[in-house]
PDB file of all heavy atoms in Angstrom:
ATOM      1  N   PRO B  76      14.989   3.111  -2.088  1.00 96.00           N
ATOM      2  CA  PRO B  76      13.914   4.129  -2.049  1.00 96.00           C
ATOM      3  C   PRO B  76      12.953   4.010  -3.182  1.00 96.00           C
ATOM      4  O   PRO B  76      13.375   3.715  -4.284  1.00 96.00           O
ATOM      5  CB  PRO B  76      14.706   5.461  -1.890  1.00 96.00           C
ATOM      6  CG  PRO B  76      15.989   5.153  -2.372  1.00 96.00           C
ATOM      7  CD  PRO B  76      16.343   3.780  -2.134  1.00 96.00           C
ATOM      8  N   PHE B  79      13.616   4.662  -7.279  1.00 97.00           N
ATOM      9  CA  PHE B  79      15.128   4.375  -7.653  1.00 97.00           C
ATOM     10  C   PHE B  79      15.303   2.886  -7.796  1.00 97.00           C
ATOM     11  O   PHE B  79      14.584   2.120  -7.281  1.00 97.00           O
ATOM     12  CB  PHE B  79      15.942   4.959  -6.576  1.00 97.00           C
ATOM     13  CG  PHE B  79      15.870   6.428  -6.479  1.00 97.00           C
ATOM     14  CD1 PHE B  79      14.968   7.127  -5.635  1.00 97.00           C
ATOM     15  CD2 PHE B  79      16.673   7.256  -7.246  1.00 97.00           C
ATOM     16  CE1 PHE B  79      14.923   8.435  -5.552  1.00 97.00           C
ATOM     17  CE2 PHE B  79      16.657   8.732  -7.155  1.00 97.00           C
ATOM     18  CZ  PHE B  79      15.614   9.289  -6.300  1.00 97.00           C
ATOM     19  N   ILE B 153      30.272   1.129  -2.365  1.00 97.00           N
ATOM     20  CA  ILE B 153      30.244   2.516  -1.899  1.00 97.00           C
ATOM     21  C   ILE B 153      30.456   2.435  -0.344  1.00 97.00           C
ATOM     22  O   ILE B 153      29.671   1.744   0.346  1.00 97.00           O
ATOM     23  CB  ILE B 153      29.047   3.362  -2.286  1.00 97.00           C
ATOM     24  CG1 ILE B 153      28.894   3.367  -3.803  1.00 97.00           C
ATOM     25  CG2 ILE B 153      29.130   4.766  -1.695  1.00 97.00           C
ATOM     26  CD1 ILE B 153      27.650   3.969  -4.270  1.00 97.00           C
ATOM     27  N   ASP B 154      31.405   3.181   0.241  1.00 96.00           N
ATOM     28  CA  ASP B 154      31.509   3.384   1.620  1.00 96.00           C
ATOM     29  C   ASP B 154      30.546   4.501   2.042  1.00 96.00           C
ATOM     30  O   ASP B 154      30.790   5.649   1.874  1.00 96.00           O
ATOM     31  CB  ASP B 154      32.915   3.777   1.997  1.00 96.00           C
ATOM     32  CG  ASP B 154      33.263   3.938   3.456  1.00 96.00           C
ATOM     33  OD1 ASP B 154      32.172   3.942   4.169  1.00 96.00           O
ATOM     34  OD2 ASP B 154      34.328   4.066   3.824  1.00 96.00           O
ATOM     35  N   GLN B 155      29.398   4.090   2.644  1.00 95.00           N
ATOM     36  CA  GLN B 155      28.278   4.983   2.879  1.00 95.00           C
ATOM     37  C   GLN B 155      28.603   6.004   3.866  1.00 95.00           C
ATOM     38  O   GLN B 155      28.214   7.157   3.828  1.00 95.00           O
ATOM     39  CB  GLN B 155      27.048   4.226   3.395  1.00 95.00           C
ATOM     40  CG  GLN B 155      26.365   3.456   2.311  1.00 95.00           C
ATOM     41  CD  GLN B 155      25.780   4.330   1.214  1.00 95.00           C
ATOM     42  OE1 GLN B 155      25.422   5.437   1.464  1.00 95.00           O
ATOM     43  NE2 GLN B 155      25.798   3.768  -0.073  1.00 95.00           N
ATOM     44  N   SER B 156      29.617   5.744   4.775  1.00 93.00           N
ATOM     45  CA  SER B 156      30.082   6.731   5.687  1.00 93.00           C
ATOM     46  C   SER B 156      31.074   7.750   5.250  1.00 93.00           C
ATOM     47  O   SER B 156      31.432   8.691   5.939  1.00 93.00           O
ATOM     48  CB  SER B 156      30.630   5.990   7.032  1.00 93.00           C
ATOM     49  OG  SER B 156      31.847   5.408   6.609  1.00 93.00           O
ATOM     50  N   TYR B 157      31.531   7.447   4.013  1.00 93.00           N
ATOM     51  CA  TYR B 157      32.544   8.388   3.431  1.00 93.00           C
ATOM     52  C   TYR B 157      32.049   9.176   2.265  1.00 93.00           C
ATOM     53  O   TYR B 157      32.718  10.120   1.851  1.00 93.00           O
ATOM     54  CB  TYR B 157      33.770   7.428   3.012  1.00 93.00           C
ATOM     55  CG  TYR B 157      35.047   7.921   3.483  1.00 93.00           C
ATOM     56  CD1 TYR B 157      35.339   7.988   4.802  1.00 93.00           C
ATOM     57  CD2 TYR B 157      36.046   8.206   2.583  1.00 93.00           C
ATOM     58  CE1 TYR B 157      36.538   8.435   5.242  1.00 93.00           C
ATOM     59  CE2 TYR B 157      37.340   8.628   3.029  1.00 93.00           C
ATOM     60  CZ  TYR B 157      37.517   8.783   4.318  1.00 93.00           C
ATOM     61  OH  TYR B 157      38.759   9.238   4.781  1.00 93.00           O
ATOM     62  N   CYS B 158      30.888   8.707   1.737  1.00 96.00           N
ATOM     63  CA  CYS B 158      30.416   9.436   0.513  1.00 96.00           C
ATOM     64  C   CYS B 158      29.982  10.849   0.729  1.00 96.00           C
ATOM     65  O   CYS B 158      29.213  11.016   1.781  1.00 96.00           O
ATOM     66  CB  CYS B 158      29.315   8.575  -0.130  1.00 96.00           C
ATOM     67  SG  CYS B 158      28.585   9.264  -1.559  1.00 96.00           S
ATOM     68  N   LEU B 159      30.345  11.757   0.011  1.00 95.00           N
ATOM     69  CA  LEU B 159      29.871  13.241   0.157  1.00 95.00           C
ATOM     70  C   LEU B 159      28.546  13.447  -0.564  1.00 95.00           C
ATOM     71  O   LEU B 159      27.977  14.481  -0.367  1.00 95.00           O
ATOM     72  CB  LEU B 159      30.952  14.057  -0.395  1.00 95.00           C
ATOM     73  CG  LEU B 159      32.321  14.044   0.160  1.00 95.00           C
ATOM     74  CD1 LEU B 159      33.260  14.894  -0.733  1.00 95.00           C
ATOM     75  CD2 LEU B 159      32.367  14.561   1.536  1.00 95.00           C
ATOM     76  N   GLY B 160      28.194  12.638  -1.525  1.00 96.00           N
ATOM     77  CA  GLY B 160      27.022  12.774  -2.276  1.00 96.00           C
ATOM     78  C   GLY B 160      27.234  13.899  -3.400  1.00 96.00           C
ATOM     79  O   GLY B 160      26.354  14.573  -3.855  1.00 96.00           O
ATOM     80  N   CYS B 161      28.457  13.975  -3.872  1.00 97.00           N
ATOM     81  CA  CYS B 161      28.657  14.908  -4.935  1.00 97.00           C
ATOM     82  C   CYS B 161      28.124  14.569  -6.403  1.00 97.00           C
ATOM     83  O   CYS B 161      28.142  15.283  -7.292  1.00 97.00           O
ATOM     84  CB  CYS B 161      30.242  15.183  -5.077  1.00 97.00           C
ATOM     85  SG  CYS B 161      31.214  13.857  -5.855  1.00 97.00           S
ATOM     86  N   ALA B 162      27.858  13.229  -6.491  1.00 96.00           N
ATOM     87  CA  ALA B 162      27.301  12.674  -7.659  1.00 96.00           C
ATOM     88  C   ALA B 162      28.131  12.625  -8.986  1.00 96.00           C
ATOM     89  O   ALA B 162      27.623  12.400 -10.022  1.00 96.00           O
ATOM     90  CB  ALA B 162      25.957  13.390  -8.085  1.00 96.00           C
ATOM     91  N   CYS B 164      30.142  10.225  -9.552  1.00 97.00           N
ATOM     92  CA  CYS B 164      30.049   8.830 -10.045  1.00 97.00           C
ATOM     93  C   CYS B 164      28.750   8.551 -10.762  1.00 97.00           C
ATOM     94  O   CYS B 164      28.726   7.781 -11.721  1.00 97.00           O
ATOM     95  CB  CYS B 164      30.171   7.841  -8.706  1.00 97.00           C
ATOM     96  SG  CYS B 164      28.997   8.122  -7.540  1.00 97.00           S
ATOM     97  N   VAL B 165      27.655   9.273 -10.297  1.00 97.00           N
ATOM     98  CA  VAL B 165      26.384   9.080 -11.041  1.00 97.00           C
ATOM     99  C   VAL B 165      26.452   9.405 -12.424  1.00 97.00           C
ATOM    100  O   VAL B 165      25.909   8.827 -13.309  1.00 97.00           O
ATOM    101  CB  VAL B 165      25.336   9.876 -10.251  1.00 97.00           C
ATOM    102  CG1 VAL B 165      23.892   9.675 -10.915  1.00 97.00           C
ATOM    103  CG2 VAL B 165      25.123   9.416  -8.750  1.00 97.00           C
ATOM    104  N   TYR B 174      22.438   6.190  -8.139  1.00 97.00           N
ATOM    105  CA  TYR B 174      21.506   7.242  -7.835  1.00 97.00           C
ATOM    106  C   TYR B 174      21.890   7.879  -6.422  1.00 97.00           C
ATOM    107  O   TYR B 174      22.667   7.297  -5.775  1.00 97.00           O
ATOM    108  CB  TYR B 174      20.137   6.778  -7.821  1.00 97.00           C
ATOM    109  CG  TYR B 174      19.866   5.657  -6.767  1.00 97.00           C
ATOM    110  CD1 TYR B 174      19.591   5.979  -5.378  1.00 97.00           C
ATOM    111  CD2 TYR B 174      20.033   4.312  -7.066  1.00 97.00           C
ATOM    112  CE1 TYR B 174      19.327   4.943  -4.469  1.00 97.00           C
ATOM    113  CE2 TYR B 174      19.745   3.340  -6.155  1.00 97.00           C
ATOM    114  CZ  TYR B 174      19.446   3.684  -4.832  1.00 97.00           C
ATOM    115  OH  TYR B 174      19.282   2.632  -3.972  1.00 97.00           O
ATOM    116  N   ILE B 175      21.406   8.977  -6.230  1.00 97.00           N
ATOM    117  CA  ILE B 175      21.677   9.655  -4.869  1.00 97.00           C
ATOM    118  C   ILE B 175      20.428   9.334  -4.053  1.00 97.00           C
ATOM    119  O   ILE B 175      19.369   9.730  -4.374  1.00 97.00           O
ATOM    120  CB  ILE B 175      21.813  11.208  -4.967  1.00 97.00           C
ATOM    121  CG1 ILE B 175      23.122  11.500  -5.828  1.00 97.00           C
ATOM    122  CG2 ILE B 175      21.945  11.788  -3.642  1.00 97.00           C
ATOM    123  CD1 ILE B 175      24.484  11.147  -5.291  1.00 97.00           C
ATOM    124  N   ASN B 176      20.622   8.752  -2.912  1.00 97.00           N
ATOM    125  CA  ASN B 176      19.624   8.443  -1.991  1.00 97.00           C
ATOM    126  C   ASN B 176      18.933   9.820  -1.570  1.00 97.00           C
ATOM    127  O   ASN B 176      19.625  10.632  -1.026  1.00 97.00           O
ATOM    128  CB  ASN B 176      20.079   7.571  -0.816  1.00 97.00           C
ATOM    129  CG  ASN B 176      18.925   7.244   0.135  1.00 97.00           C
ATOM    130  OD1 ASN B 176      18.190   8.096   0.651  1.00 97.00           O
ATOM    131  ND2 ASN B 176      18.904   5.968   0.296  1.00 97.00           N
ATOM    132  N   PRO B 177      17.619   9.838  -1.717  1.00 96.00           N
ATOM    133  CA  PRO B 177      16.975  11.238  -1.324  1.00 96.00           C
ATOM    134  C   PRO B 177      16.965  11.660  -0.027  1.00 96.00           C
ATOM    135  O   PRO B 177      16.803  12.776   0.470  1.00 96.00           O
ATOM    136  CB  PRO B 177      15.563  11.108  -1.957  1.00 96.00           C
ATOM    137  CG  PRO B 177      15.331   9.601  -2.015  1.00 96.00           C
ATOM    138  CD  PRO B 177      16.645   9.035  -2.293  1.00 96.00           C
ATOM    139  N   GLU B 178      17.126  10.575   0.846  1.00 95.00           N
ATOM    140  CA  GLU B 178      17.227  10.876   2.391  1.00 95.00           C
ATOM    141  C   GLU B 178      18.660  10.917   2.883  1.00 95.00           C
ATOM    142  O   GLU B 178      18.923  11.799   3.742  1.00 95.00           O
ATOM    143  CB  GLU B 178      16.343   9.808   3.126  1.00 95.00           C
ATOM    144  CG  GLU B 178      14.954  10.039   3.128  1.00 95.00           C
ATOM    145  CD  GLU B 178      14.080   8.856   3.528  1.00 95.00           C
ATOM    146  OE1 GLU B 178      14.545   7.981   4.304  1.00 95.00           O
ATOM    147  OE2 GLU B 178      12.911   8.637   3.046  1.00 95.00           O
ATOM    148  N   LYS B 179      19.402   9.978   2.495  1.00 95.00           N
ATOM    149  CA  LYS B 179      20.830   9.996   3.005  1.00 95.00           C
ATOM    150  C   LYS B 179      21.659  10.960   2.312  1.00 95.00           C
ATOM    151  O   LYS B 179      22.811  11.280   2.761  1.00 95.00           O
ATOM    152  CB  LYS B 179      21.351   8.550   3.026  1.00 95.00           C
ATOM    153  CG  LYS B 179      20.597   7.516   3.840  1.00 95.00           C
ATOM    154  CD  LYS B 179      21.267   6.180   3.690  1.00 95.00           C
ATOM    155  CE  LYS B 179      20.486   5.092   4.063  1.00 95.00           C
ATOM    156  NZ  LYS B 179      20.955   3.818   3.475  1.00 95.00           N
ATOM    157  N   HIS B 180      21.359  11.348   1.154  1.00 96.00           N
ATOM    158  CA  HIS B 180      22.137  12.237   0.228  1.00 96.00           C
ATOM    159  C   HIS B 180      23.493  11.660  -0.025  1.00 96.00           C
ATOM    160  O   HIS B 180      24.519  12.352  -0.110  1.00 96.00           O
ATOM    161  CB  HIS B 180      22.209  13.637   0.818  1.00 96.00           C
ATOM    162  CG  HIS B 180      20.901  14.295   1.100  1.00 96.00           C
ATOM    163  ND1 HIS B 180      20.049  14.618   0.146  1.00 96.00           N
ATOM    164  CD2 HIS B 180      20.306  14.483   2.341  1.00 96.00           C
ATOM    165  CE1 HIS B 180      18.964  15.009   0.731  1.00 96.00           C
ATOM    166  NE2 HIS B 180      19.055  15.067   1.975  1.00 96.00           N
ATOM    167  N   SER B 181      23.597  10.408  -0.106  1.00 97.00           N
ATOM    168  CA  SER B 181      24.839   9.723  -0.531  1.00 97.00           C
ATOM    169  C   SER B 181      24.487   8.804  -1.691  1.00 97.00           C
ATOM    170  O   SER B 181      23.374   8.367  -1.947  1.00 97.00           O
ATOM    171  CB  SER B 181      25.451   8.902   0.640  1.00 97.00           C
ATOM    172  OG  SER B 181      24.556   7.893   1.032  1.00 97.00           O
ATOM    173  N   ALA B 182      25.556   8.411  -2.498  1.00 97.00           N
ATOM    174  CA  ALA B 182      25.340   7.618  -3.727  1.00 97.00           C
ATOM    175  C   ALA B 182      25.135   6.273  -3.287  1.00 97.00           C
ATOM    176  O   ALA B 182      25.676   5.702  -2.339  1.00 97.00           O
ATOM    177  CB  ALA B 182      26.595   7.709  -4.628  1.00 97.00           C
ATOM    178  N   GLU B 183      24.182   5.531  -4.016  1.00 97.00           N
ATOM    179  CA  GLU B 183      23.888   4.211  -3.854  1.00 97.00           C
ATOM    180  C   GLU B 183      23.787   3.352  -5.056  1.00 97.00           C
ATOM    181  O   GLU B 183      23.645   3.964  -6.165  1.00 97.00           O
ATOM    182  CB  GLU B 183      22.509   4.032  -3.018  1.00 97.00           C
ATOM    183  CG  GLU B 183      22.679   4.384  -1.614  1.00 97.00           C
ATOM    184  CD  GLU B 183      21.315   4.066  -0.796  1.00 97.00           C
ATOM    185  OE1 GLU B 183      20.380   3.731  -1.418  1.00 97.00           O
ATOM    186  OE2 GLU B 183      21.484   4.061   0.411  1.00 97.00           O
TER     187      GLU B 183
END
Side-chain angles (χ1 to χ4, degrees):
Chain B
F79 296 89
I153 301 172
D154 182 350
Q155 287 299 327
S156 65
Y157 227 60
C158 176
L159 301 167
C161 73
C164 57
V165 178
Y174 59 87
I175 298 291
N176 186 303
E178 280 165 25
K179 296 185 203 158
H180 305 292
S181 60
E183 286 188 346

